[in-house]
Amino acid sequence: MISEPESVGEDGPGPSPDVVSGFDPRQGAAAGRRRWHGALWGLVGALTASAVWAAAVFGYGVGGDGKPDPRGYRVESDSCAAMELEELTGALGTPASEPATEMDGIEHPALHRISCTVNFPVAVLRTPGGEEDSGWVTGCHASLTAELHKETDPRPEFEASSTLTEIDGSGVDRVERVPDLGDLAYLLVMEDGSMSVRVVEGGAVVTLTLSSWMSPPDIDEGRDGLPDGVDRPEMLAHRTDLISDTRAVMKALKTG
């Protein structure tokens, strides 16, 4: 369980040393200095609070009305065209069709969301040495979810989601920070081998996921499992490609 941050340098029970009880003329100068120091620290505290507020406004993209800054992002019904995925295409092959738009899109005054998928070519899994067809086939698909929040700042929920240990029934193997991408970005590696790059920037939240699937030979419907020496495709080999394509997708979603 995550605990609340601890306060540093917090005083124990009893009155603060800056509180003056009674008045002793011999201590008038010292008391004056303490009051001056207290006022100075109060001013410093106010300036610090203002700086933190400014950082929240300009760093997190929340304006004076509490609404997140769209940062130029546009999420509409035609936004799946942003899934060009040049790096993954170079590694996995050209998709057979254009990105498909899923049916769970939202177009609401508070939130715009689109979901899209791309299927990469199917590959035959061969036995060691590549001489014999194992009967198993495999393929990869990429899915994109792009959201534009217009009323509430998505960052607190985004940060909280990075602590999840399970997503859609699959365990989270590890979470890594991705530097220099949006306001905050994570790479999630799942126990089933899939990977996701999740990014928040202003009011935009973008998730690009790469997953694999395997199909057994019809003759045994997979009851015998994978033949010896035939392994599930390694998704981590495409980690850099996934991050690069996420960066390109976010650029394409911007209107200017």
Side-chain angles (χ1 to χ4, degrees), residues 44-252:
V44 170
L47 292 175
T48 301
S50 297
V52 170
W53 180 85
V57 170
F58 296 107
Y60 301 163
V62 180
D65 57 0
K67 295 182 179 182
D69 186 343
R71 303 282 187 90
Y73 284 97
R74 185 183 70 89
V75 175
E76 305 292 348
S77 59
D78 61 349
S79 294
C80 287
M83 286 188 77
E84 296 184 359
L85 307 183
E86 292 184 1
E87 298 299 324
L88 288 172
T89 295
L92 299 171
T94 303
S97 60
E98 296 295 320
T101 303
E102 301 296 322
M103 298 301 294
D104 61 344
I106 295 175
E107 190 167 348
H108 184 274
L111 173 66
H112 281 197
R113 182 178 73 193
I114 53 103
S115 297
C116 329
T117 57
V118 165
N119 291 308
F120 292 98
V122 173
V124 176
L125 291 175
R126 298 188 177 277
T127 56
E131 298 176 356
E132 183 181 347
D133 184 346
S134 69
W136 286 73
V137 294
T138 184
C140 296
H141 68 269
S143 59
L144 169 70
T145 300
E147 299 176 344
L148 186 59
H149 298 253
K150 299 187 173 186
E151 294 293 334
T152 57
D153 179 16
R155 178 160 176 148
E157 184 177 344
F158 179 89
E159 291 179 330
S161 68
S162 69
T163 65
L164 292 173
T165 58
E166 184 178 287
I167 299 175
D168 296 332
S170 179
V172 178
D173 185 57
R174 67 177 183 271
V175 180
E176 303 174 5
R177 281 289 305 272
V178 180
D180 305 320
L181 182 58
D183 293 332
L184 186 62
Y186 296 105
L187 172 74
L188 279 72
V189 181
M190 310 300 292
E191 290 179 351
D192 64 3
S194 63
M195 294 185 299
S196 295
V197 176
R198 303 187 68 248
V199 191
V200 62
E201 184 172 8
V205 178
V206 175
T207 302
L208 184 62
T209 300
L210 180 66
S211 306
S212 66
W213 56 267
M214 301 182 69
S215 178
D218 293 336
I219 190 171
D220 69 355
E221 298 180 353
R223 287 188 295 270
D224 293 336
L226 281 170
D228 292 340
V230 178
D231 298 319
R232 177 182 291 274
E234 178 57 68
M235 293 289 95
L236 277 176
H238 307 298
R239 175 180 179 275
T240 301
D241 299 328
L242 186 65
I243 294 172
S244 296
D245 281 341
T246 303
R247 199 181 303 276
V249 165
M250 296 186 69
K251 182 177 180 180

